[in-house]
């Protein structure tokens, strides 16, 4: 949708501050979309301040990044915009004061996409900070900061953090507040960005609207409510984000085109495919994603590859859209020495879908990156949930529920002979560190990868805190388990991966209790498995 770059623009269209002059704007819009001009709303007709949801950037590459905003003067009433395209200007600079502008342009924010704006900037320098801003009429957005990825051939250190599960009603985003103050190159959101259910709140943050969301308007209001939080806006403003979803962006525990409760009419409005289409569209509207992620009906290709020089190769996974329905619930009750009942071992069951699996195996198989990262939703390593050490129980809606699909990935990792894969995971609202064994039978065998599971930002609310180091008879590959809230901060160099479990004491107290590092783990290059630092 981008219509103009500085390099292609005649002189005189832009004022001293880098935005279009009004004469320039008229000239530009007449030139680019004469048919649309009568329908382009003027800034004066918008009424209130349109940048209530802040700004964001994402999916950095070595020469560019995606810039995002959404015009919503009345965010909790569906946006409050006229049903017309609106012209939005953007500019990107080398300095915080926006004096050294390197590019600028204008796009149309369309009512069909909730007046969201996605600008794919190209032609930037690698490994650099940039600042960006939007303007509509006389209103300017907050200034966001972003950063390009390192170029290939430069194995630099990279710092990032990953988060998941930010239930708005269940706590205050203290973790985001502290995260926004960290010095990081990017963030990764592993899903449960919103929750779809109705929710009352112990902290004065009940969900809007006050029911389970199913319509476009509902999903927009819920995303807008989350995005109105100043701490969440701060983390988006601080650095670029690479996002993927889990289930709650659409519906709890859905699998492919099967809702949580296929028999419940409330889950199917009028059918689950159309509900999924609405949820996916509104997710796209609110995230800094590329046009490649524009949804088509109930489909949105979210799995993708993001590289940080030669150091980090990130495979962003989608384990919801293509998965088979979970194995029958009573499956988990059948006690077997191998931990599985026969339906779970049906080779046609998949958590990734055939296409994504082929893409992942091909990418991992050919990768020469220092570290391969699976940006993943649900726990990947086996987790025996049976308290009896002689009997195993695996299953559920984690990778444990799709053992043969996981085995294809494990076999490839074992065959590669380069144990430099790290899985980063959300979903379970607790911290775990697990060495990833080569299969679900030999949990104490030499690991083929390392998994860092990050706790929730708020989901689950405050609970009795518990922190346990080391494994046990059931799960000898476990290294750490904890249920604080927070995020995981990683510093990655060619030789060492350091993961700091950053935690907050409470998400419901009125006072922010600060942030601290509860535990740190390292993975050495060439040696899968984590050691406490
Ligand atoms: Fe969650």
């Amino acid at each position: 949708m981008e219509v103009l770059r500085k390099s292609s623009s005649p002189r005189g269209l832009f004022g001293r501050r880098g935005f279009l002059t009004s004469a320039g704007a008229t000239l530009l819009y007449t030139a680019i979309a004469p048919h649309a001009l009568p329908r382009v709303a003027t800034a004066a007709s918008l009424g209130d301040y349109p940048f209530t949801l802040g700004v964001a950037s994402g999916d950095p590459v070595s020469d560019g990044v995606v810039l995002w905003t959404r015009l919503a003067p009345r965010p909790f009433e569906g946006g409050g915009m006229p049903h017309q395209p609106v012209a939005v200007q953007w500019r990107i600079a080398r300095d915080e004061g926006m004096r050294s502008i390197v590019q600028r342009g204008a796009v149309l924010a369309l009512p069909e996409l909730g007046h969201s704006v996605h600008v794919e900037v190209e032609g930037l320098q690698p490994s650099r900070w940039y600042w960006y801003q939007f303007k509509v009429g006389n209103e300017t957005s907050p200034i966001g900061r972003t950063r390009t990825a390192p170029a290939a051939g430069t194995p630099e250190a990279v710092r990032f953090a990953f988060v998941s599960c930010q239930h708005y009603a269940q706590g205050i985003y203290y973790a985001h507040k502290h995260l926004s103050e960290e010095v990081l190159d990017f963030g990764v959101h592993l899903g449960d960005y919103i929750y779809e259910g109705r929710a009352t709140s112990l902290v004065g943050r009940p969900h809007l609207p006050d029911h389970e969301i199913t319509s476009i308007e509902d999903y927009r209001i819920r995303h807008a409510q989350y995005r109105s939080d100043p701490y969440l806006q701060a983390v988006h403003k601080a650095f670029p984000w690479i996002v993927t979803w889990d289930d709650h962006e659409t519906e709890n525990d859905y699998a492919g085109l099967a809702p949580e409760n296929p028999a419940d009419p409330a889950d199917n409005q009028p059918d689950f495919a159309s509900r999924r289409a609405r949820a996916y569209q509104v997710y796209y509207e609110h995230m800094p994603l590329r046009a490649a992620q524009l949804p088509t009906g109930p489909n949105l290709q979210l799995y993708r590859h993001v590289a940080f020089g030669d150091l980090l190769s990130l495979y962003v996974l989608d384990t919801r859209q293509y998965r088979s329905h979970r194995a029958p619930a009573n499956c988990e009750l059948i006690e077997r020495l191998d931990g599985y009942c026969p339906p779970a071992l049906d080779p046609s069951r998949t958590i990734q879908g055939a296409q994504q699996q082929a893409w992942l195996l091909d990418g991992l198989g050919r990768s020469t990156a220092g570290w391969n990262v699976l940006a993943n939703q649900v726990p990947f390593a086996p987790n025996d949930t049976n308290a009896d050490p002689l009997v195993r129980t695996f299953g559920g809606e984690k990778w444990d529920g799709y053992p043969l699909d996981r085995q294809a990935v494990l076999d490839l990792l074992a065959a590669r002979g380069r144990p430099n894969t790290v899985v980063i995971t959300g979903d379970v609202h607790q911290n775990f560190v697990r060495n990833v064994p080569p299969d679900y039978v030999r949990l104490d065998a030499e690991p083929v990868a390392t998994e860092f599971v990050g706790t929730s930002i708020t989901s689950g609310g405050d609970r009795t805190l518990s922190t346990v180091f080391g494994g046990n008879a059931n799960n000898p590959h476990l290294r750490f388990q904890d249920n604080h809230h927070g995020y995981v901060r990683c510093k990655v160099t060619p030789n060492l991966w350091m993961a700091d479990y950053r935690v907050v004491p409470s998400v419901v107290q009125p006072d922010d209790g600060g942030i601290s590092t509860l535990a740190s783990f390292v993975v050495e290059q060439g040696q899968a498995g984590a050691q406490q630092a």
Side-chain angles (χ1 to χ4, degrees):
M1 189 52 74
E2 184 187 345
V3 293
L4 181 78
R5 290 186 189 287
K6 185 185 181 187
S7 56
S8 62
S9 68
R11 293 174 73 88
L13 289 186
F14 298 97
R16 205 165 38 83
R17 293 176 55 79
F19 285 120
L20 280 171
T21 60
S22 59
T26 305
L27 208 68
L28 173 66
Y29 301 131
T30 307
I32 54 126
H35 62 286
L37 191 62
R39 296 177 57 237
V40 173
T42 60
S45 67
L46 293 186
D48 298 323
Y49 183 65
F51 298 107
T52 56
L53 306 181
V55 297
S57 68
D59 277 23
V61 290
S62 60
D63 70 341
V65 70
V66 182
L67 308 181
W68 173 93
T69 192
R70 182 185 159 222
L71 307 179
R74 292 194 298 281
F76 307 145
E77 295 164 35
M81 292 289 292
H83 195 77
Q84 290 177 341
V86 172
V88 181
Q89 300 175 50
W90 59 271
R91 54 182 196 159
I92 186 163
R94 277 212 193 92
D95 64 307
E96 203 170 349
M98 302 298 294
R99 280 178 288 276
S100 178
I101 305 287
V102 292
Q103 284 188 46
R104 55 204 157 189
V107 295
L108 288 178
L110 302 176
E112 293 79 4
L113 288 172
H115 291 97
S116 59
V117 173
H118 301 77
V119 178
E120 296 182 40
V121 184
E122 297 169 2
L124 303 177
Q125 299 295 310
S127 289
R128 287 193 75 137
W129 289 107
Y130 289 94
W131 286 260
Y132 60 95
Q133 189 176 30
F134 297 94
K135 185 179 183 190
V136 59
N138 292 322
E139 302 284 7
T140 51
S141 75
I143 294 170
R145 187 181 66 170
T146 192
R147 186 174 173 84
T148 48
T154 52
E156 300 171 35
V158 166
R159 292 166 187 261
F160 75 99
F162 64 91
V163 305
S164 61
C165 299
Q166 52 189 33
H167 199 300
Y168 183 85
Q170 290 178 354
I172 301 165
Y173 292 164
Y174 293 133
H176 277 318
K177 176 188 175 201
H178 296 291
L179 178 54
S180 73
E181 292 158 5
E182 300 266 11
V183 180
L184 300 171
D185 300 319
F186 63 97
V188 182
H189 203 298
L190 297 170
D192 288 357
Y193 193 98
I194 60 160
Y195 283 77
E196 84 287 9
R198 177 180 181 275
T200 55
S201 176
L202 293 174
V203 288
R205 289 155 59 104
H207 265 166
L208 295 175
D210 185 26
H211 54 256
E212 180 160 335
I213 52 177
T214 57
S215 70
I216 287 267
E217 293 71 24
D218 286 350
Y219 279 107
R220 280 181 183 154
I221 290 169
R222 188 64 55 83
H223 271 280
Q225 179 183 31
Y226 277 57
R227 214 48 167 270
S228 69
D229 183 279
Y231 299 147
L232 183 57
Q233 289 194 8
V235 290
H236 280 296
K237 227 171 74 168
F239 36 80
W241 281 80
I242 296 161
V243 300
T244 184
W245 56 35
D246 196 12
D247 52 342
H248 286 287
E249 287 84 351
T250 302
E251 201 221 1
N252 181 47
D253 279 3
Y254 81 99
L257 286 169
E260 179 183 17
N261 302 308
D264 183 353
D267 278 5
N268 300 278
Q269 302 257 343
D271 57 85
F272 187 71
S274 68
R275 181 179 179 187
R276 194 176 94 168
R278 295 189 292 272
Y280 283 11
Q281 178 188 322
V282 178
Y283 182 79
Y284 171 82
E285 289 173 3
H286 287 82
M287 297 297 149
L289 292 168
R290 294 181 183 277
Q293 274 68 54
L294 253 172
T296 310
N299 306 308
L300 185 160
Q301 191 186 315
L302 198 55
Y303 71 81
R304 60 203 189 280
H305 179 250
V306 184
F308 290 82
D310 299 333
L311 182 69
L312 216 62
S313 194
L314 215 79
Y315 297 87
V316 183
L317 303 186
D318 172 0
T319 56
R320 290 289 171 187
Q321 186 171 184
Y322 314 104
R323 69 159 70 190
S324 317
H325 210 331
R326 64 160 78 185
N330 62 5
C331 210
E332 293 165 34
L333 302 177
I334 301 171
E335 293 185 351
R336 283 168 55 102
L337 288 183
D338 69 359
Y340 285 106
C341 60
L345 297 171
D346 174 350
S348 71
R349 295 187 69 255
T350 177
I351 190 171
Q352 308 173 84
Q355 231 177 333
Q356 180 175 204
Q357 185 185 72
W359 162 83
L360 177 62
L361 297 182
D362 178 60
L364 285 174
R366 290 190 293 110
S367 172
T368 57
W371 299 90
N372 294 304
V373 187
L374 307 190
N376 166 60
Q377 291 77 42
V378 295
F380 182 75
N383 177 33
D384 176 6
T385 57
N386 194 312
D388 180 348
L390 298 177
V391 180
R392 289 175 166 181
T393 302
F394 297 118
E397 44 102 51
K398 320 302 176 196
W399 284 80
D400 265 340
Y402 302 83
L404 298 191
D405 214 15
R406 176 178 58 196
Q407 198 57 46
V409 181
L410 294 174
D411 288 348
L412 180 104
L413 294 178
R416 283 182 81 238
R418 290 192 65 209
N420 59 349
T421 296
V422 175
V423 187
I424 59 174
T425 301
D427 175 51
V428 285
H429 309 172
Q430 289 191 57
N431 292 311
F432 291 93
V433 177
R434 293 190 180 106
N435 292 350
V436 182
D439 53 55
Y440 62 80
V441 180
R442 300 169 295 157
L443 299 182
D444 56 355
E446 190 70 19
V448 297
T450 314
E451 182 173 29
F452 292 117
V453 180
T455 185
S456 58
I457 291 289
T458 51
S459 303
D462 278 7
R463 50 242 172 148
T464 306
L465 294 172
S466 139
T467 304
V468 180
F469 289 89
N472 53 50
N474 286 308
N475 291 292
H477 57 306
L478 177 67
R479 289 287 167 272
F480 175 59
Q481 175 174 3
D482 165 75
N483 67 353
H484 283 76
H485 296 285
Y487 53 88
V488 183
R489 181 181 68 188
C490 299
K491 181 182 179 189
V492 187
T493 68
N495 296 323
L496 199 71
W497 182 303
M498 166 88 84
D500 298 324
Y501 279 84
R502 304 277 281 164
V503 301
V504 294
S506 167
V507 295
V508 303
Q509 293 299 320
D511 297 321
D512 166 18
I515 185 94
S516 59
T517 299
L518 180 67
S520 297
F521 291 85
V522 295
V523 184
E524 290 174 19
Q525 180 61 259
Q527 177 71 55
Q531 305 155 44
Q532 198 180 347

